[in-house]
Every structure is written in structure tokens, then in C-alpha cells.
Amino acid sequence: MSVWPSAHLQQLASATLDGRYLHTLVAPAQALGLPVAAALQHTGLSLPALQGPVSLLRAWQLLDYFDRHAEPGWAFRLGLSMRPASAGVLGYVLLGAATLEQAINRLVRYERCVWDIGLSQWQAAEQRLVFMPTLSPLPTSLAELCLTSWLAVGRLLAPQAQAKALCLRHTPVMPSNEIENLLGVTLRTEQADYALELADGHSQLPLPLADDLLEQSLLPQVINKAAQQPHLQAIRQRMVAALPEGAALEQVAASLEQSPRQLRHTLHLHGLSYQHLLQDLRQALAEHYLRQTELSLTDISFLLGFAEQSSFSRAFRQWHGCTAQQYREAYSASAAVC
């Protein structure tokens, strides 16, 4: 992984995934032999933490750990275990759609309920579902996981529907013929888009579990959650930008033209507290700086808003049980961290 520009790093720390999406992957990942416990410990995550929003920076670190310690092709195998329920309430709304195309359009419209890493587009004339990441570079394993998840969920929604091809911008480490045998679909690499192509007319196939009552009861929840997501990202963006100055609650609230009380209430709606979110951002960014840069501990302390390096050192030892320098050296040696 390369050193990320500051603007990109801020975007990674601000964007989120629904932790429950990651939580549903824990059991399948363990069944595949992925080092889940070690990966969670390495990234400072825990199973309880996967009940709320998770910064994309932490998710990126999780993928990086699997990339370095798991067999090539792990993302394709894990993606095949995806179920509609992995998308939470949105997944059940997809199940209630009348046709596969209607389910796809709902995914495109409300995917922010699950993640904030890009935009999807349904190109009906070409029968292509295209994923357009807003983050660049996008981890290749995340693209593989995303598209394979679409494939797996689509087959569960409409068992008779056939995918024609899975398109990637990159060439995976796993041999293409092995991927095609695993997925049962043609693989196209070095393409202009990330996309899943369907056989002609198959998007119009009816879904066996179509349910208007399910839509009427759950769709309002999805709409409300999708509307709230940009507010949480804006809060995280302002906090990351304000970190070198301490990121005090009053400072961040003022930058959002809110009172501290309003900001606390907004975070409460997401099951978060300001102090918890501040600590999570500091920890995730500290880990990134130690792994991916040669910044001194003094500089890192400043960037994270600590008044003194000693305060940062004490906080880091509480997070990981080792010093920041030990953490950096262990990562450089590709050894188990602490």
C-alpha cells in the first residue's frame, strides 16, 4: 500500500461502511480459514464495534491484512457467501422487489445505507450494473468483494437469472481460469469499468419473494437512513480536518453551524458519542501514519491533536498494549503486531 495524500486520507477516515455488513461476513470468513480474530485485533476492531458505522480507513486496513495473510482470491470466495441480509434493512427491501431490475434500481438508489465508497449505475440498455468508486485508488480486493457480492445476491434474488460477465479494471492475483471456475461466469480484466453484465432480458425476471407489504413497511426506514448518511460523513470530515487543532466539540459544531447539543443529538441517532468517534479517528489515523509514513512521533502527535507526544504515547499504549515505535517496527517486519 502506498502513502496516501492528505485529501485522500481525510476521505478514507470520513467515509464509512455499515459495520453490520462486515459483521455478517465474520462467520463465512472464519469458515474459509481467514485470520479473522488476528485481523480484527490488528485493526483495533471488535465484534461489538461492528454494530455501527466503521470508517473506511479501518475497513481498508482489514482488507490489507487479509491481502497480506490470506490466500489469493479470498475476496471472491468471501463475496460468494453474501446474502441479502448482509445489507441490513436494504436487503429485505431488495427481496420484496417485483423484478430483478427493480431490486437493482433500489440498490443503486439506497446503497449509501450500507457504504459510502462509490456510486452504482444501472445501464438498462446494456444490461450492466456499473460500480463507480469515489475513492482512488480503490483496494482491488474491495472491488472483487463488491462485484462478487452482487453476483451472489442476484442469484439468490432471481435463481433463473444468468450473469454474462464480471468486469474488473485490474488483473487479479488469482488466475483468471480459476476465478471463472469458482464464479461460473466470464471474467474480463483491465476493463474501463467495474461491472456485472447480465444476459439479455434477465433483469425482467420476476422475483419469487416479491412482497408489496414488505416494501411499504421497510422502505421508509431505508429512505430515512440514506438521508442521514451524508450528515455523519460531514461530521467526520470536519473532525478529521480539525484534529491538529484538537477537534474540540464546540469547534466542530461551529464549523457545521450547529450547537454542541445538536451535534451530540445527531451522533446519538447513529449510536455514537463524540468522544468515542474522536478516539476511533485518532486511533485509525495513528495506525496509518505509523504504517505508511516516516513521520516522527512528534509530528504524528501534532496531526492527531495531542498537546504533547507523551499524551499520544500513553493513548497508543492503551489502544495496543505496546509503544508506537514497537508497532511501527512490527508492521515493517510483517510480524504479528503486539
Side-chain angles (χ1 to χ4, degrees):
M1 297 172 66
S2 60
V3 177
W4 300 313
S6 177
H8 188 206
L9 181 58
Q10 290 189 23
Q11 190 178 13
L12 279 172
S14 302
T16 61
L17 292 173
D18 187 335
R20 287 164 292 191
Y21 167 79
L22 295 176
H23 194 280
T24 63
L25 298 178
V26 169
Q30 290 172 329
L32 289 171
L34 296 181
V36 176
L40 290 174
Q41 181 181 8
H42 178 74
T43 54
L45 291 170
S46 65
L47 292 180
L50 299 183
Q51 297 302 318
V54 173
S55 75
L56 187 56
L57 180 57
R58 285 213 181 281
W60 192 303
Q61 292 167 351
L62 194 68
L63 297 177
D64 177 58
Y65 189 89
F66 286 149
D67 282 339
R68 290 186 295 113
H69 295 277
E71 293 294 325
W74 68 265
F76 293 111
R77 296 186 177 91
L78 187 57
L80 286 178
S81 69
M82 194 68 63
R83 299 293 181 265
S86 302
V89 178
L90 176 58
Y92 293 102
V93 170
L94 300 183
L95 281 170
T99 66
L100 182 57
E101 184 170 57
Q102 188 180 71
I104 291 171
N105 283 323
R106 289 177 180 176
L107 171 67
V108 169
R109 186 170 183 179
Y110 302 117
E111 63 187 337
R112 274 195 166 186
C113 292
V114 181
W115 56 28
D116 192 21
I117 60 175
L119 299 173
S120 300
Q121 182 183 74
W122 172 240
Q123 299 175 350
E126 294 83 12
Q127 296 286 282
R128 299 174 83 239
L129 180 56
V130 179
F131 177 60
M132 300 174 290
T134 53
L135 294 169
S136 180
L138 184 76
T140 56
S141 52
L142 182 55
E144 294 165 4
L145 179 63
C146 173
L147 267 67
T148 309
S149 299
W150 285 354
L151 180 65
V153 171
R155 286 171 172 168
L156 289 171
L157 292 176
Q160 295 179 325
Q162 297 293 320
K164 188 165 59 176
L166 188 147
C167 304
L168 298 173
R169 292 181 180 177
H170 64 278
T171 298
V173 176
M174 186 179 183
S176 295
N177 64 318
E178 294 183 18
I179 297 172
E180 291 180 336
N181 291 334
L182 175 68
L183 304 183
V185 67
T186 299
L187 178 68
R188 297 175 182 165
T189 62
E190 303 300 328
Q191 300 293 298
D193 297 311
Y194 293 114
L196 182 64
E197 299 181 357
L198 300 183
D200 293 343
H202 282 216
S203 64
Q204 300 304 317
L205 291 173
L207 302 194
L209 298 179
D211 188 337
D212 289 339
L213 292 178
L214 187 66
E215 175 181 2
Q216 293 172 13
S217 62
L218 296 181
L219 190 56
Q221 297 181 42
V222 172
I223 294 172
N224 183 57
K225 187 175 181 181
Q228 290 179 0
Q229 193 62 30
H231 298 301
L232 179 59
Q233 183 173 1
I235 293 171
R236 297 177 70 98
Q237 286 175 337
R238 299 301 175 87
M239 291 179 71
V240 172
L243 271 177
E245 299 174 350
L249 172 65
E250 294 76 13
Q251 175 189 8
V252 174
S255 71
L256 293 164
E257 299 184 350
Q258 295 182 11
S259 69
R261 182 177 179 180
Q262 288 174 318
L263 178 53
R264 286 195 188 97
H265 177 69
T266 301
L267 290 173
H268 178 72
L269 293 177
H270 292 276
L272 298 169
S273 71
Y274 187 85
Q275 193 59 38
H276 178 272
L277 183 55
L278 178 60
Q279 177 177 307
D280 182 71
L281 288 171
R282 277 177 163 168
Q283 183 177 345
L285 288 168
E287 292 160 0
H288 163 74
Y289 289 134
L290 290 168
R291 295 170 181 168
Q292 307 299 336
T293 76
E294 297 180 357
L295 291 170
S296 68
L297 299 186
T298 300
D299 288 340
I300 293 175
S301 301
F302 167 75
L303 289 171
L304 300 179
F306 287 96
E308 299 176 350
Q309 181 184 326
S310 59
S311 299
F312 165 61
S313 297
R314 284 194 299 271
F316 195 89
R317 185 177 285 276
Q318 289 178 347
W319 297 333
H320 285 281
C322 63
T323 68
Q325 187 59 35
Q326 288 170 337
Y327 182 94
R328 171 175 270 170
E329 291 172 354
Y331 182 84
S332 298
S334 298
V337 176
C338 305

